[in-house]
């Protein structure tokens, strides 16, 4: 079955405990449904380091309004099914959003 990355964006604020709990419930729902195969929450942008040819700098690679907050990998029949899953992500009503891309290659250390 095809896999899709759901890239979760945030508006830069840390998220309240209630907002984070919504994300936890959403992940639990996807696990129960058998759709979620992996998920990764990322630390705040203040902990990010950007690596370029000329060195390492503090902060995210680019300064934009929205930053990547996490990545989930879901199995879905097709892009439309993946988009239906993505629409249920709390980021879509918490002021940010998600991006969906098909996974065309992967490696996970055994």
């Amino acid at each position: 079955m095809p896999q899709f990355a759901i890239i979760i964006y945030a508006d830069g604020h840390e998220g309240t405990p209630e907002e984070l709990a919504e994300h936890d419930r959403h992940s639990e729902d996807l696990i129960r449904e058998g759709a979620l195969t992996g998920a990764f929450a990322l630390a705040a942008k203040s902990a990010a380091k950007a690596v370029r040819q000329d060195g390492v700098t503090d902060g995210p690679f680019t300064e934009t309004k929205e930053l990547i907050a996490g990545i989930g990998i879901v199995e879905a029949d097709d892009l439309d099914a993946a988009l239906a899953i993505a629409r249920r992500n709390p980021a879509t009503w918490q002021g940010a959003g998600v991006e969906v891309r098909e996974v065309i290659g992967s490696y996970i250390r055994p």
Side-chain angles (χ1 to χ4, degrees):
M1 180 172 296
Q3 291 186 322
F4 296 85
I6 297 179
I7 303 162
I8 304 159
Y9 288 87
D11 62 4
H13 82 279
E14 293 294 316
T16 67
E18 294 81 15
E19 290 170 331
L20 297 174
E22 284 186 274
H23 285 276
D24 290 342
R25 284 191 299 276
H26 175 65
S27 294
E28 291 165 5
D29 289 345
L30 294 179
I31 291 167
R32 194 171 27 263
E33 295 166 13
L36 188 64
T37 65
F40 307 90
L42 303 178
K45 75 176 186 175
S46 60
K49 301 288 182 187
V51 179
R52 294 179 172 81
Q53 182 178 0
D54 59 349
V56 177
T57 59
D58 290 336
F61 192 77
T62 60
E63 281 295 329
T64 61
K65 180 181 173 210
E66 295 176 329
L67 300 164
I68 297 172
I71 301 166
I73 306 297
V74 299
E75 289 184 336
D77 289 333
D78 55 28
L79 178 59
D80 288 336
L83 290 170
I85 292 169
R87 283 187 196 97
R88 295 169 39 202
N89 191 288
T92 63
W93 63 81
Q94 290 177 349
V98 300
E99 178 180 327
V100 178
R101 293 192 201 180
E102 186 170 3
V103 175
I104 60 171
S106 64
Y107 168 79
I108 297 177
R109 185 181 67 205

